């Protein structure tokens, strides 16, 4: 069965510090991986998908198949990055997404 | 832009009541989903539907049922509400296809007293 693990419930950093939100998955095939973000009082929205290899709002995420990880990184955190972040996986051939338990990022001024 | 609309933002119901949560999407997506969101537990899939009248159980279907009579509408039904079903419920839709993202509604916060 597929599983997504986000080991940190809360990550607190100061503005300008680097950020890494961890995501590990268990799946034997080729996964589709996503990062979703939920800002205060807003709906959950897509941040990144691994296939796009893009940088959104300064965030990047690299799929490491050897370590089965998809960590989200940003070199310099901003206060507006404070939000709840969820990592999600979809197995090849299915349309359902499995989510991790989420990490709350707090960026202090 | 895809719009997923959940009919109620807040609901308060009594134990034992039958509860309907409604969700509509306007982008002709084949797939629709119901998740519940709880602190420390993340998003857990209750049910999903990949076509009209088609449904599959997710990870926590007990106490819930769903209905999809039209492509754009997906309803979640709590047959007999219980206090442990107090939660935030999120509806989402997605096109079929590799790497297609989920689009979420605003959520319905249900309180069962």
């Amino acid at each position: 069965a597929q599983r997504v693990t986000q080991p940190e419930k809360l990550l607190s950093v100061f503005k300008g510090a680097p950020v890494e939100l961890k995501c590990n998955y268990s799946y034997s095939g080729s996964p589709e991986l996503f990062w979703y973000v939920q800002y205060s009082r807003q709906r959950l929205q897509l941040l990144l998908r691994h296939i796009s290899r893009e940088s959104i709002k300064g965030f990047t995420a690299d799929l490491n198949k050897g370590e089965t990880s998809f960590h989200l990184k940003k070199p310099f955190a901003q206060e507006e990055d404070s939000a709840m972040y969820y990592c999600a996986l979809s197995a090849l051939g299915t349309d359902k997404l499995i989510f991790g338990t989420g990490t709350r990022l707090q960026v202090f001024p | 832009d895809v719009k997923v609309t959940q009919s109620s933002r807040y609901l308060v119901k009594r134990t034992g009541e039958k509860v309907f949560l409604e969700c509509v999407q306007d982008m002709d997506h084949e797939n629709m989903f119901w998740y519940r969101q709880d602190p420390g537990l993340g998003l857990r899939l209750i049910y999903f539907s990949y076509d009209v009248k088609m449904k599959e159980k997710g990870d926590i279907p007990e106490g819930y049922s769903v209905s999809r009579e039209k492509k754009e509408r997906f309803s979640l039904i709590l047959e007999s509400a219980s206090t442990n079903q107090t939660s935030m419920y999120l509806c989402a839709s997605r096109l079929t296809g590799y790497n297609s993202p989920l689009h979420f509604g605003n959520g319905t916060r249900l309180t069962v007293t």
Side-chain angles (χ1 to χ4, degrees):
Chain A
Q2 299 93 46
R3 189 183 186 101
V4 176
T5 303
Q6 294 180 251
E8 303 135 332
K9 287 189 176 179
L10 175 65
L11 186 62
S12 299
V13 300
F14 286 101
K15 178 182 170 181
V19 167
E20 182 177 72
L21 288 83
K22 290 184 168 36
C23 172
N24 289 90
Y25 66 91
S26 61
Y27 174 56
S28 56
S30 292
E32 301 172 53
L33 287 159
F34 305 84
W35 276 100
Y36 282 82
V37 60
Q38 189 169 32
Y39 302 103
S40 180
R41 294 189 176 83
Q42 294 188 26
R43 69 180 68 197
L44 207 59
Q45 57 187 283
L46 176 70
L47 180 63
L48 283 179
R49 37 187 157 177
H50 88 271
I51 196 70
S52 305
R53 301 187 62 82
E54 58 203 341
S55 173
I56 303 292
K57 300 185 180 183
F59 285 97
T60 58
D62 290 318
L63 173 59
N64 186 324
K65 289 189 177 180
E67 294 183 359
T68 59
S69 68
F70 187 55
H71 303 326
L72 184 68
K73 299 177 184 179
K74 186 169 183 176
F76 307 104
Q78 303 298 314
E79 288 178 69
E80 55 266 29
D81 296 329
S82 295
M84 194 75 181
Y85 292 80
Y86 292 96
C87 183
L89 174 150
S90 181
L92 194 63
T94 75
D95 288 298
K96 65 178 183 178
L97 263 70
I98 304 299
F99 284 81
T101 51
T103 298
R104 179 166 297 283
L105 175 63
Q106 289 182 331
V107 182
F108 295 109
Chain B
D1 199 20
V2 176
K3 193 157 185 186
V4 180
T5 304
Q6 295 182 233
S7 55
S8 304
R9 190 78 175 99
Y10 298 95
L11 273 180
V12 179
K13 297 291 181 180
R14 292 191 181 276
T15 301
E17 278 193 78
K18 191 168 185 175
V19 181
F20 293 85
L21 303 183
E22 307 286 347
C23 175
V24 176
Q25 52 96 3
D26 66 356
M27 284 301 290
D28 207 36
H29 286 174
E30 299 90 350
N31 305 287
M32 296 188 75
F33 305 80
W34 278 106
Y35 290 88
R36 63 177 281 178
Q37 183 181 30
D38 299 289
L41 297 176
L43 274 72
R44 293 178 292 166
L45 182 64
I46 305 171
Y47 266 99
F48 72 101
S49 168
Y50 50 91
D51 202 349
V52 174
K53 297 191 188 294
M54 307 303 285
K55 62 186 179 185
E56 275 196 33
K57 292 180 181 179
D59 299 318
I60 51 164
E62 297 79 17
Y64 304 94
S65 62
V66 290
S67 172
R68 191 156 180 216
E69 296 296 318
K70 293 185 178 181
K71 192 174 186 179
E72 66 270 19
R73 186 179 296 271
F74 192 35
S75 303
L76 181 68
I77 304 153
L78 286 67
E79 298 290 342
S80 176
S82 63
T83 54
N84 63 12
Q85 292 178 311
T86 291
S87 186
M88 173 67 87
Y89 290 87
L90 300 180
C91 177
S93 71
R94 184 188 192 199
L95 270 174
T96 294
Y98 186 71
N99 215 45
S100 173
L102 273 179
H103 298 267
F104 283 90
N106 270 327
T108 296
R109 182 164 294 283
L110 173 67
T111 302
V112 183
T113 62

